[in-house]
Amino acid sequence: MSERKVWFITRPERDPRFHQEALVALQKATKNFTIKWSANRHAHVAYEQALVDENLKREHISNDGSGGRTWAAMLKTFAYIYTNDEGYLVPTKVGQALLEEKAVYMNTRKQILTLQIPNAYFLEKGFRPKFDDGFQIRPARFIARLTNQAALDYYLTKEEITYFAMTAKKDDELSKVIDKIVHFRRASENEKDRIHQEIAEQYDHRERSDRAARDFLNAHSDVAHTFMLLCEYTEFVEYIRGQSLRVDPSKSKQFNEELDEWDQRYPFNKRYMISLQRMAENNGLDVNSYKATSYGGLSPATNRGKVAQKVEKLLQSYPVPSTLSISELKSVLSKEFPSRDVVNLASEIHQYSYSQLNNDFVEQYLNQNDNLLFEDQTGAIFKAIGFDLEMRPKPNTSDRTEIEILLKFGDLACGLIDAKNYRTDKFPLSATLVSHMVSEYIPNYEGYDGREIQFFGYVTAGNFSGEKNLIKISQKATTHFPTRIIKGVMLSASVLLGFLDYCLEHELSPDKRVDLFLKAVNNSGYKTIEQLLRAVTK
């Protein structure tokens, strides 16, 4: 099946005014989300019945609950809920706010304006066909900005949304789409037909036919209508039924400034690279949970955009730039900025109170091919969690074997981390590596800086196996330290990032982050962030 090249949205209900009622019906049907959802057709049918009872759906109940699944998919699309790895639906923070009838309009509006392609639901295994690679767009904001253009006389038709907006893959294609629409409006009828045909043949993921242009419009115009209703709900545009979206020119500047603020407050979210649950939870924060770029007030949409881009490039190797000290920021920024700018920029970034993951770091780290940089970036994450650390410290003995990362915590404790950048194959904790840890790393670093080794661990770029050997290392380590149990942990790079992201989102102090991580050190391997969080929060 070909991949989607055109925007799509699940739309059993086009009007966002009824999202809250649909969520309440789901809560009732699943007995407050305590009934398993995955592969449970009884629950799906029960949700359909609840929707009928609430007058949200016409009185027709499918045999297999397909209608219930479609409505649940809509709620997942807007991150009101997600399916956890045990198959249960979980309301996000914004979903819970709607259930409690808190700021229903503002929270629904926020979910529309933060809707993006891709998101957690669009990346679920069951969503077919998948979107083509390269999508990075917020549809509602894109349409709002597109409508708010003097070059387009501040209006946008459903036809233009269908053919030109919905075929855009990135937010930065706005100017290109404006030019296409201007050209289209000036074209003759024959030329318009040719443009329709070319777009249909290029972008439609369905089977081709001689009626491609007409089929394309029929297939996608209802999605365009749904996006028009969604955008109208945000109040950035007015929807003149049967005609177009419009913006009052007198409000153009105000709307642009407000959209700039939205871009700064809610940048494109790449947590889907970490885990779909973390993506859904973060995208599903309520309107009162302030989230924003890691670069303070340096919004790429401002006239300081070039400066912001340069700062982003310099800081892309740091997971949480705002947690760096003033001196650390100055050291990084001085590579490309004069001293006067360095002082101002460092102060602006450092004083920014909210800390969140750096999107550029996430993408770079999870695709890192350089083994040395992978080790350094793994160390940077542990530092952001709250550990003091040393990279590649010299052992106390004459042995030349060096551990990649030594973590310091407490008064006189430390841990050893071996970072393994295995990308093509999964990392196996083999007998040879067990021997290395037991006979070399642990004894050689005992007493380093006056500290006792309390744990060891492995961070892998991808999947791993052999986690049962962790307990073997613990058992063999007692030959060196019979009065101490030294436990281990294995986790993937995405899980380590997910743990830091969870801590930042819940505003845990560095000491509490370290304590929480140490709870995960129990001779276990964690392949998903959900597994780790269950272990440390139960």
Side-chain angles (χ1 to χ4, degrees), residues 28-43:
K28 292 178 180 177
T30 58
K31 299 188 184 303
N32 200 25
F33 306 102
T34 61
I35 295 175
K36 189 173 182 178
W37 180 261
S38 295
N40 185 353
R41 292 189 175 184
H42 292 296

Side-chain angles (χ1 to χ4, degrees), residues 347-529:
S347 177
E348 185 167 354
I349 294 169
H350 184 69
Q351 72 181 4
Y352 193 60
S353 60
Y354 178 75
S355 298
Q356 77 160 3
L357 276 184
N358 179 353
N359 265 333
D360 297 319
F361 178 89
V362 170
E363 190 164 12
Q364 185 186 81
Y365 179 57
L366 295 180
N367 294 287
Q368 184 59 259
N369 292 315
D370 186 299
N371 294 340
L372 197 63
L373 285 177
F374 178 76
E375 294 168 7
D376 289 340
Q377 290 172 335
T378 300
I381 297 172
F382 277 110
K383 183 178 180 181
I385 288 172
F387 288 98
D388 291 328
L389 61 88
E390 288 191 35
M391 297 298 300
R392 306 173 195 90
K394 300 294 182 183
N396 291 327
T397 66
S398 58
D399 198 312
R400 299 179 62 183
T401 303
E402 295 179 359
I403 193 71
E404 284 93 355
I405 305 168
L406 186 144
L407 303 177
K408 300 178 181 180
F409 60 98
D411 293 329
L412 294 171
C414 68
L416 306 178
I417 297 294
D418 200 355
K420 298 296 185 182
N421 194 22
Y422 286 58
R423 295 204 167 271
T424 55
D425 302 304
K426 67 180 176 181
F427 163 71
L429 183 54
S430 63
T432 300
L433 292 171
V434 168
S435 178
H436 272 307
M437 184 61 74
V438 171
S439 61
E440 297 180 31
Y441 290 144
I442 291 177
N444 291 349
Y445 283 97
E446 172 67 14
Y448 184 90
D449 194 26
R451 294 174 179 271
E452 290 186 348
I453 294 176
Q454 296 294 331
F455 77 91
F456 62 92
Y458 299 87
V459 176
T460 68
N463 202 356
F464 56 80
S465 62
E467 53 265 48
K468 291 182 179 179
N469 283 334
L470 292 170
I471 196 167
K472 290 184 179 179
I473 296 174
S474 284
Q475 291 169 345
K476 292 182 178 182
T478 59
T479 61
H480 298 288
F481 312 104
T483 61
R484 194 187 321 160
I485 298 177
I486 301 175
K487 294 184 178 182
V489 65
M490 287 182 74
L491 65 163
S492 67
S494 61
V495 171
L496 182 62
L497 269 178
F499 175 77
L500 174 58
D501 187 47
Y502 172 87
C503 292
L504 293 171
E505 188 170 294
H506 289 77
E507 300 181 355
L508 302 182
S509 68
D511 287 343
K512 288 185 178 179
R513 297 175 205 168
V514 170
D515 289 343
L516 200 62
F517 181 83
L518 294 176
K519 288 181 67 176
V521 180
N522 195 30
N523 287 333
S524 300
Y526 304 101
K527 296 180 180 179
T528 69
I529 183 59

